[in-house]
Amino acid sequence: VQLQASGGGLVQAGGSLRLSCSASGVTFSSTGVGWFRQAPGKEREFVAAMRKSSTATYYTNSVKGRFTISRDNANNRVYLQMNALRPEDTAVYYCATTGMGNPIMSSYYRPSTYPDWGQGTQVTVSS
């Protein structure tokens, strides 16, 4: 499985970005998908996820109402639409998949649930 995140960049506070995750060796419609982020000096944290074979989505509280995770089955891509960006959203963003398992809801929030990770894309929000 190879995942590649793209779409990061530099944006002013209040702006928007759309991250994209492409994959080879896995079909996003058949696996759970998550977005995580890691800021310098901080642990990797959960941002959003979409449940395997479902449209159920999960978000960390700080991005609810601003970020939207979606899945494009025809093109085998997953997106993270980020609106109303804040300086505290600055981080490297990673997409990840849960593999063949079918995790329970609470597991989607944990990095250890995801065996496959992309290389990350930098998002920088200036104030």
Side-chain angles (χ1 to χ4, degrees):
V1 175
Q2 289 188 321
L3 304 173
Q4 183 164 351
S6 61
L10 173 64
V11 64
Q12 288 188 331
S16 298
L17 283 173
R18 189 178 77 159
L19 305 185
S20 176
C21 182
S22 61
S24 61
V26 67
T27 301
F28 283 128
S29 60
S30 64
T31 187
V33 183
W35 285 96
F36 289 77
R37 65 188 180 188
Q38 189 165 18
K42 295 188 176 181
E43 293 187 353
R44 191 167 297 189
E45 67 168 348
F46 170 80
V47 177
M50 179 168 279
R51 193 177 182 88
K52 174 180 178 177
S53 302
S54 170
T55 57
T57 55
Y58 314 115
Y59 298 93
T60 192
N61 286 338
S62 64
V63 308
K64 284 181 181 177
R66 300 189 298 124
F67 291 12
T68 303
I69 186 172
S70 62
R71 185 171 57 213
D72 180 348
N73 292 337
N75 293 299
N76 198 33
R77 286 182 177 263
V78 170
Y79 300 102
L80 184 69
Q81 178 67 44
M82 306 186 296
N83 298 327
L85 282 160
R86 304 168 180 169
E88 54 264 39
D89 295 319
T90 295
V92 177
Y93 283 70
Y94 300 87
C95 58
T97 55
T98 61
M100 299 300 293
N102 190 15
I104 60 175
M105 182 185 73
S106 60
S107 294
Y108 278 88
Y109 295 80
R110 296 196 293 263
S112 60
T113 298
Y114 300 78
D116 301 307
W117 291 80
Q119 86 291 359
T121 184
Q122 176 71 47
V123 172
T124 303
V125 184
S126 63
S127 57

